[in-house]
Amino acid sequence: MGTVHIEAEKEDIAKKVLMPGDPNRVKYIAEKYLTDAKLVNRLRGELAYTGYYKGVRVTIFSSGMGIPSMGIYSHELFDYYDVDTIIRIGTAGSYLEDLKLYDLLLADSAFSKTYFDEEAGREGDNEEVINSSQELNGVITNTARIRGIPITQGRVHTSLAFYTGESNISKYVDLGCKAVEMETYALLYNAKKFYKKATSILTISDNLVTRDVIDPMEREQKLDQMIVLALESIIKC
Ligand code: HPA
């Protein structure tokens, strides 16, 4: 038996989970990188596969898009499936001219102007910034260094809107944000709530200052560097 949104049996989900937003990417990663991969969730088309990477059991689970979807899946994974570690692997729009297409950004924290935490039942004041797991970030940074993969650490802005006005950029840069995406805050909120580990590795897919954009067809293969970094890191955590 699963949860309201996940049909997988409890034992079918590994303690270590990678979460891309897109179910097609889940299938791509499972087929390319996992051995003995088994499809464990199909509900609502949010695919999940559990298999082995270098002998370590890992689940790849699509979060869907945005705070509500990531909020639901990460809650159920931490709470019901007792997952220990989640690394989101996604894309983000850069707020900085020198954070360029295909650059990797490791979230050290997420900023959100939303009231997700209040609506999710957190007691006390709305918390605008939530930190990622320092332990996970240490392992990822080290793994990147060993493999010669350049990566920047910084705060991400988790937005409710994909289509935003340009005039907002400087406001979020002033708040320390290097890029914008739509899921990390919800993931970090749930990790904190359930005393679990989480972070996000993001590939810059568009630059909001220069207006450069990655071609969507090209995107698939170019994300491999991030995928390998996440897999190599999660097996050590
Ligand atoms: N905005 C929000 N989310 C995103 C973006 C963006 O520009 N790029 C990738 N995810």
Side-chain angles (χ1 to χ4, degrees):
M1 206 191 72
T3 62
V4 183
H5 304 97
I6 304 173
E7 67 188 328
E9 297 294 331
K10 204 161 183 172
E11 61 277 11
D12 284 341
I13 301 287
K15 299 296 174 203
K16 300 167 193 284
V17 177
L18 291 191
M19 296 192 87
D22 177 358
N24 292 325
R25 212 169 295 146
V26 167
K27 189 165 184 286
Y28 171 82
I29 297 168
E31 287 173 352
K32 184 161 178 182
Y33 293 103
L34 298 189
T35 52
D36 294 330
K38 180 178 156 198
L39 179 63
V40 294
N41 191 66
R42 269 186 313 201
L43 264 191
R44 290 174 178 262
E46 298 296 8
L47 303 181
Y49 287 83
T50 297
Y52 292 84
Y53 181 75
K54 298 193 172 170
V56 179
R57 196 160 180 256
V58 177
T59 295
I60 320 289
F61 202 123
S62 55
S63 67
M65 286 187 282
I67 286 177
S69 189
M70 174 58 99
I72 289 169
Y73 290 113
S74 56
H75 179 111
E76 293 179 9
L77 289 170
F78 284 138
D79 187 31
Y80 181 76
Y81 291 93
D82 212 13
V83 164
D84 294 327
T85 308
I86 297 180
I87 301 178
R88 158 166 157 71
I89 42 175
T91 56
S94 172
Y95 281 155
L96 306 173
E97 205 166 340
D98 59 359
L99 186 60
K100 297 187 180 350
L101 298 189
Y102 298 115
D103 283 356
L104 293 187
L105 178 64
L106 176 61
D108 64 12
S109 56
F111 168 84
S112 166
K113 201 75 199 130
T114 67
Y115 287 90
F116 175 77
D117 59 347
E118 199 178 302
E119 298 208 335
R122 199 183 88 87
E123 294 190 2
D125 293 338
N126 178 46
E127 194 171 40
E128 290 190 334
V129 174
I130 306 181
N131 291 329
S132 307
S133 158
Q134 285 202 11
E135 183 192 328
L136 271 183
N137 281 4
V139 171
I140 292 166
T141 307
N142 236 342
T143 308
R145 191 175 44 75
I146 292 162
R147 301 181 75 85
I149 300 170
I151 189 161
T152 304
Q153 263 198 67
R155 180 169 299 162
V156 300
H157 171 208
T158 302
S159 172
L160 278 185
F162 181 84
Y163 298 103
T164 53
E166 278 170 56
S167 55
N168 283 334
I169 296 177
S170 62
K171 185 169 88 189
Y172 296 118
V173 170
D174 288 347
L175 290 164
C177 302
K178 292 186 191 294
V180 55
E181 50 83 76
M182 304 179 75
E183 292 82 16
T184 298
Y185 182 88
L187 171 61
L188 299 186
Y189 173 87
N190 282 325
K192 189 172 174 186
K193 176 173 181 172
F194 293 109
Y195 303 98
K196 305 293 182 117
K197 288 179 282 187
T199 192
S200 291
I201 309 174
L202 304 161
T203 299
I204 299 302
S205 59
D206 49 304
N207 187 304
L208 283 86
V209 183
T210 60
R211 304 203 150 264
D212 291 334
V213 183
I214 291 181
D215 177 80
M217 298 308 285
E218 205 183 321
R219 199 184 274 211
E220 195 96 323
Q221 301 126 35
K222 294 272 185 155
L223 297 180
D224 275 302
Q225 181 172 251
M226 171 175 68
I227 294 165
V228 170
L229 175 59
L231 284 166
E232 288 288 332
S233 301
I234 206 162
I235 62 173
K236 296 178 200 150
C237 307

